[in-house]
Amino acid sequence: MDTDLALILGLIIAGFTVPSVMSALSERRPPRASVLTILIAIGLVTYAVLMKPGGYSVEEIPDVFFRVVGRFL
């Protein structure tokens, strides 16, 4: 898997997980599925950062996002 794609997928999954965690906590139920998706997101982001020589900086993330989207359009 391309490191750019792994980074973007990890960030998107993490973004979608936040409302799920908040919903589970507000309804006083354990966020089991949310924890699993957070672990997947952390794994993808960690893989991307470790496999790319030099890693990623925060300033690069928008460029990486549009580069990945541009490949699919």
Side-chain angles (χ1 to χ4, degrees), residues 16-70:
F16 283 135
T17 302
V18 172
S20 177
V21 169
M22 299 304 278
S23 173
L25 292 176
S26 70
E27 294 175 2
R28 297 185 191 274
R29 56 185 170 87
R32 290 185 188 106
S34 302
V35 170
L36 178 64
T37 56
I38 285 175
L39 291 175
I40 291 169
I42 289 172
L44 284 168
V45 171
T46 303
Y47 168 77
V49 170
L50 292 178
M51 290 303 179
K52 182 179 183 219
Y56 289 97
S57 67
V58 177
E59 294 84 23
E60 283 182 273
I61 293 175
D63 293 333
V64 171
F65 180 80
F66 288 115
R67 192 167 49 231
V68 169
V69 170

Side-chain angles (χ1 to χ4, degrees), residues 2-25:
D2 182 27
T3 58
D4 290 349
L5 181 60
L7 177 70
I8 297 307
L9 283 177
L11 292 175
I12 289 172
I13 290 171
F16 283 135
T17 302
V18 172
S20 177
V21 169
M22 299 304 278
S23 173
L25 292 176

